[in-house]
Amino acid sequence: GENVEQHPSTLSVQEGDSAVIKCTYSDSASNYFPWYKQELGKRPQLIIDIRSNVGEKKDQRIAVTLNKTAKHFSLHITETQPEDSAVYFCAASSPGPANAGNMLTFGGGTRLMVKP
Amino acid sequence: EPEVTQTPSHQVTQMGQEVILRCVPISNHLYFYWYRQILGQKVEFLVSFYNNEISEKSEIFDDQFSVERPDGSNFTLKIRSTKLEDSAMYFCASSEARTRGGELFFGEGSRLTVL
């Protein structure tokens, strides 16, 4: 099955700096890669996603890049703010049975701390 | 904005007891999921459900687990005889369709503590 590795496990940056989180996946058939932000005690919330037919996607201060050949994808947050502090999870979804929905395999998470 | 809702938010139970966690997915969604997150660890897939049957399940989802959609709105996860290692946050999620959008919407979670 799919295996997703995520690095680093913790990341501390100064407010205004950029943060980069990287993930690798094992299943070359995976075609959907979302990123979730989880604040303490809260639900994971989708912040950005990318499909395998796209190499890069940007939404204001966040961007995701995908390298299908190398099987890795990255989250980039620019101009970080204290409210960006949270745990970020990458995930990958590979095609499966038509009735299987979107079964996600998550990475281990990155605790991002933005210091004011 | 529509949300996935879950009850209870926290349940404490004794080992060996049965537990039912309840979820109300977003109304026009077709796929339903349960995930769990042991404290400080990654979110793990348990099961997906479509058209009133399990479509995929992980190794974690053994015979002690079952899911049901007893009516048009609720989606439940039952753990028949809880073990200490079942202590975790259980997230219900739903999605509109597999290919269109594909976004999973998660509930707030049900924290299960097995003593």
Side-chain angles (χ1 to χ4, degrees):
Chain A
E2 174 68 280
N3 182 49
V4 178
E5 298 289 337
Q6 184 171 347
H7 300 279
S9 56
T10 59
L11 179 59
S12 181
V13 299
Q14 285 295 133
E15 183 178 359
D17 287 351
S18 294
V20 180
I21 303 170
K22 298 182 179 182
C23 288
T24 60
Y25 61 98
S26 61
D27 187 350
S28 56
S30 288
N31 60 2
Y32 174 65
F33 306 91
W35 286 87
Y36 283 85
K37 176 182 181 182
Q38 187 179 30
E39 296 176 1
L40 191 63
K42 298 288 183 71
R43 75 183 84 193
Q45 291 198 294
L46 180 75
I47 55 170
I48 196 167
D49 56 11
I50 191 167
R51 298 193 177 276
S52 57
N53 58 348
V54 175
E56 184 173 356
K57 184 176 177 181
K58 192 173 181 181
D59 182 3
Q60 299 182 333
R61 294 188 297 109
I62 58 173
V64 57
T65 58
L66 171 65
N67 183 327
K68 282 195 305 182
T69 305
K71 289 190 280 187
H72 68 69
F73 56 113
S74 301
L75 177 71
H76 304 252
I77 306 174
T78 58
E79 300 170 29
T80 53
Q81 300 165 2
E83 49 266 38
D84 294 330
S85 297
V87 179
Y88 291 80
F89 289 97
C90 64
S93 174
S94 49
N99 62 348
N102 227 349
M103 191 198 90
L104 299 179
T105 301
F106 283 83
T110 296
R111 181 172 301 281
L112 174 65
M113 293 169 285
V114 181
K115 293 182 283 189
Chain B
E1 186 177 327
E3 287 187 338
V4 176
T5 58
Q6 289 185 240
T7 54
S9 56
H10 189 194
Q11 180 153 358
V12 181
T13 190
Q14 294 290 325
M15 193 169 54
Q17 295 296 303
E18 175 183 283
V19 161
I20 297 176
L21 306 177
R22 292 183 167 79
C23 168
V24 179
I26 294 172
S27 62
N28 64 334
H29 285 187
L30 302 177
Y31 298 88
F32 315 119
Y33 315 81
W34 284 100
Y35 286 77
R36 80 171 185 190
Q37 185 179 31
I38 295 171
L39 188 64
Q41 298 186 23
K42 68 169 73 175
V43 179
E44 300 174 290
F45 169 77
L46 293 179
V47 66
S48 61
F49 191 87
Y50 171 75
N51 199 27
N52 285 319
E53 60 182 20
I54 290 174
S55 47
E56 205 158 356
K57 60 183 181 180
S58 71
E59 293 174 352
I60 303 168
F61 194 87
D62 61 22
D63 292 345
Q64 293 298 316
F65 291 89
S66 62
V67 289
E68 194 177 35
R69 188 159 164 81
D71 53 42
S73 59
N74 289 285
F75 178 52
T76 62
L77 174 70
K78 182 191 290 187
I79 308 175
R80 189 147 38 110
S81 178
T82 50
K83 304 187 279 281
L84 295 175
E85 54 264 38
D86 294 327
S87 294
M89 180 74 92
Y90 289 82
F91 289 104
C92 174
S94 67
S95 66
E96 198 170 2
R98 173 174 174 75
T99 54
R100 184 160 60 96
E103 178 179 353
L104 263 64
F105 292 80
F106 285 86
E108 289 281 2
S110 292
R111 180 167 298 285
L112 176 65
T113 302
V114 182
L115 302 176

